[in-house]
Amino acid sequence: MLKPFDKPIYTTRPVLPDINKVNLRLIEVWESQWLTNMGKQHEYLENELKKVLKVKSLSLFNNGTIALMVACKSLEISGEVITTPFTFAATPHALNWAGLEPKFCDIDEQTLNINPQKIEELITVNTKAILGVHVFGIPCAVKEIDDIAKKYDLKVIYDAAHAFETELEGIGIGNFGDITMFSMHSTKLMHTIEGGILTYKDQELGRKINQLKNFGIDTNSQEQEYDLIGLNGKLNEVQAVIGQEVLKIREIERQKRSKILNLYNERLSKIEGITMVSRGDTSQESFQYFPIRIRDSRVTRNILHNRLQDYNIFTRKYFYPLCSNFNCYKNIDTANPFNLPVANRISEEILCLPYYGGLNDNDINKICDIIENIME
Ligand code: T4K
C-alpha cells in the first residue's frame, strides 16, 4: 500500500489572503464605524465585481441561498418551476421558500445540466419559470433554454454558484436569463466567507431585488415605506473587505488550478474505469471543482470514495443523494427515478477530487498514483 498523506486532503480549501493585509483592512472598517447596511466597502466590492463578471448590474447578499430565494421572489410568479435534480439542496429549497413548486427535469449526459430536450414535456399551464444550474461551472444550454422561455413566456433564473468568471464567447455567464446567482461561500474560489451575488439587466427588477434584501424598505421614498415583504440578505462591511482581498489573489489561484487540471487530465484519462467530465464549451472557465465519473469498473464510486479515506483523502460525492430522492422531495410527481434516469445514474458515478491551489504537483501525482492503485 502506498503511504497515506500525513495531513487530511480535502475536496477544497478556502482561498486565504495574507492575514496581515486582512487585519489592516479590518482596522479600516473599525475606524469607519460603519459595519453593515450597504456601506463604502460594499459599494466598492459591487463595482469591482461588475468588472470581473462583465455585467452591468448586480446586488450583493449574505449568502447564495438567500440570494436565490430573493431572485425567485422578485419575479413575482407563483406556480411551477422546471429545474434540475443534480444540484445542491439550496436550489430546490430556494424555490420552495419562495412559494414555488420545483418540477425535476432530467439532465444531459455530457453537460450534467438540465436537458433542454426534456423541458418542453414538463411544461403545463402552471409553469412560470426555468431554473438552470451551471453545475461545476459547466454552462447550461443557454440558447436553447432562452428559445423555450420565449416560446412559452417563462422567466429564466440561473444558479451559477459554481460558475464565477465562467464566460461563453467572452460574455460573462451572469448575462444570460433574467437573473443569475453566484455563491461566495468559503468553498468557492471567490468568496466573502459567506456571500452571494445576483446579476440582472432589468433596472426595475434590480430595485425590487435591493428592496427585498433590505426588509422590503423602499430607500427611494421620503418616509420608510414597506411595500414588499423582504428579508435581511445584506452582506456586511467585514465580508466586503475579505471579498476585496480574495479578489486580488484569485488570478494566482486560477492559474494554480489550471495547472492542476492539466495534470489530473493527463494522469486520470489513462486509468480504466474513470471517465473525465467535459469542462464545457467556455471561453473562460471557473476552475471551481474537479469531478470525475467512475463507471464500467469493478471498483465503484463508493468503493473509491471509501478507500481514498484510508489514505487521508476526503472526496465529496457532489451530488449524491440526488435532490429528487431527498425525503422532502421524493413524493412529488416528477421525482420518480424512472423519469430521471441520467441524473440518477450520474449521481451514483460522480466524485469530486481534491482541487485547490495549495496542492502541488507531488500531491496531485500522489493522489493519481493512489487512485490508479485502487482502480487496478
Ligand atoms: N446552489 C448550488 C449549486 C450550490 O452548490 C450551493 C452551495 C448553493 C446554491 C448555495 O450557496 P451558499 O448559500 O452556500 O452560498 C458546500 C458549501 O457549504 C456550499 O456552499 C456548496 N454549494 C456545496 C456544494 O458545498 P458541504 O456541506 O459539502 O461543505 P463542507 O463543509 O463539507 O466543505 C467542503 C470541503 O471544504 C470540506 O471537505 C472541507 C473544506 N472546507 C470547508 C469549509 C466550510 C474548509 O477547508 N474550510 C471551510 O471553512 O457544502
Side-chain angles (χ1 to χ4, degrees):
M1 180 169 150
L2 291 158
K3 206 170 151 289
F5 280 92
D6 296 335
K7 286 192 195 142
I9 303 290
Y10 296 108
T11 300
T12 193
R13 301 252 78 183
V15 174
L16 294 174
D18 184 296
I19 189 65
N20 296 315
K21 288 190 179 149
V22 173
N23 281 338
L24 288 175
R25 300 304 312 278
L26 290 181
I27 292 170
E28 207 181 304
V29 173
W30 251 236
E31 285 178 348
S32 76
Q33 294 187 53
W34 196 274
L35 302 184
T36 186
N37 288 7
M38 283 72 78
K40 200 172 86 187
Q41 304 298 349
H42 179 281
E43 189 185 336
Y44 187 85
L45 181 63
E46 266 190 352
N47 287 328
E48 289 300 293
L49 285 170
K50 276 183 211 165
K51 289 183 239 162
V52 173
L53 294 174
K54 299 190 178 170
V55 295
K56 280 214 182 71
S57 312
L58 58 79
S59 303
L60 302 181
F61 284 82
N62 48 10
N63 64 64
T65 307
I66 296 277
L68 200 53
M69 281 162 54
V70 166
C72 295
K73 194 88 178 155
S74 70
L75 292 171
E76 293 179 344
I77 49 175
S78 62
E80 300 166 5
V81 177
I82 298 172
T83 191
T84 169
F86 190 69
T87 182
F88 192 55
T91 315
H93 285 359
L95 287 173
N96 273 283
W97 277 82
L100 297 163
E101 203 185 326
K103 293 283 165 184
F104 294 115
C105 178
D106 207 4
I107 60 171
D108 176 85
E109 176 92 33
Q110 293 307 312
T111 65
L112 313 185
N113 289 321
I114 194 163
N115 184 342
Q117 256 121 55
K118 301 273 173 193
I119 293 177
E120 281 190 85
E121 61 199 59
L122 291 170
I123 295 176
T124 71
V125 284
N126 296 323
T127 307
K128 299 295 162 53
I130 300 167
L131 168 50
V133 179
H134 305 300
V135 81
F136 307 134
I138 307 163
C140 288
V142 290
K143 168 83 178 66
E144 285 89 334
I145 292 174
D146 193 44
D147 288 346
I148 297 169
K150 282 205 181 93
K151 186 168 161 193
Y152 294 93
D153 191 23
L154 305 176
K155 300 286 183 195
V156 178
I157 306 170
Y158 284 114
D159 176 336
H162 309 168
F164 190 86
E165 285 198 84
T166 293
E167 291 182 11
L168 278 172
E169 294 174 5
I171 301 168
I173 200 82
N175 289 289
F176 299 95
D178 293 282
I179 310 180
T180 298
M181 182 280 285
F182 295 86
S183 165
M184 294 193 289
H185 181 261
S186 304
T187 52
K188 303 298 178 295
L189 196 156
M190 167 58 201
H191 73 91
T192 51
I193 300 182
E194 292 269 4
I197 308 168
L198 289 184
T199 63
Y200 43 83
K201 292 176 281 274
D202 180 343
Q203 294 312 303
E204 181 49 31
L205 183 63
R207 203 180 61 80
K208 222 179 289 166
I209 285 170
N210 285 328
Q211 227 174 302
L212 283 169
K213 84 164 183 190
N214 188 21
F215 309 102
I217 299 170
D218 181 358
T219 42
N220 291 334
S221 69
Q222 294 287 330
E223 299 295 324
Q224 246 181 349
E225 295 283 356
Y226 293 82
D227 45 8
L228 293 176
I229 302 169
L231 44 66
N232 182 353
K234 293 167 283 143
L235 179 105
N236 66 50
E237 293 290 275
V238 172
Q239 286 173 290
V241 290
I242 303 276
Q244 290 170 31
E245 294 306 309
V246 175
L247 213 44
K248 287 178 195 161
I249 57 171
R250 82 187 190 289
E251 196 46 49
I252 299 166
E253 177 69 17
R254 285 176 55 82
Q255 281 165 19
K256 287 181 182 164
R257 292 192 191 193
S258 165
K259 242 183 103 200
I260 295 174
L261 185 120
N262 291 336
L263 188 49
Y264 263 149
N265 278 340
E266 191 193 314
R267 293 280 324 259
L268 299 173
S269 55
K270 295 183 189 133
I271 302 177
E272 219 173 302
I274 292 183
T275 305
M276 311 306 284
V277 172
S278 146
R279 310 287 299 183
D281 197 11
T282 60
S283 51
Q284 178 168 284
E285 79 144 280
S286 67
F287 299 115
Q288 181 55 54
Y289 290 106
F290 195 90
I292 55 169
R293 286 166 64 187
I294 322 303
R295 54 206 291 241
D296 304 327
S297 163
R298 179 182 51 82
V299 179
T300 62
R301 185 274 313 273
N302 286 349
I303 296 175
L304 179 61
H305 168 83
N306 294 343
R307 292 278 311 276
L308 284 170
Q309 293 185 12
D310 300 338
Y311 295 88
N312 234 348
I313 302 171
F314 298 90
T315 55
R316 299 287 273 133
K317 300 177 199 173
Y318 296 134
F319 289 99
Y320 174 89
L322 204 59
C323 292
S324 48
N325 295 332
F326 291 179
N327 282 337
C328 53
Y329 294 123
K330 68 180 184 200
N331 292 325
I332 69 173
D333 54 356
T334 53
N336 190 328
F338 186 74
N339 300 323
L340 307 165
V342 182
N344 275 279
R345 180 162 42 78
I346 287 171
S347 171
E348 299 281 347
E349 296 175 349
I350 203 89
L351 195 65
C352 284
L353 298 183
Y355 191 47
Y356 51 94
L359 297 168
N360 61 32
D361 284 6
N362 288 342
D363 298 325
I364 301 298
N365 275 316
K366 184 167 167 165
I367 294 169
C368 294
D369 289 342
I370 292 169
I371 294 176
E372 203 165 35
N373 213 269
I374 297 171
M375 294 299 292
E376 263 172 22

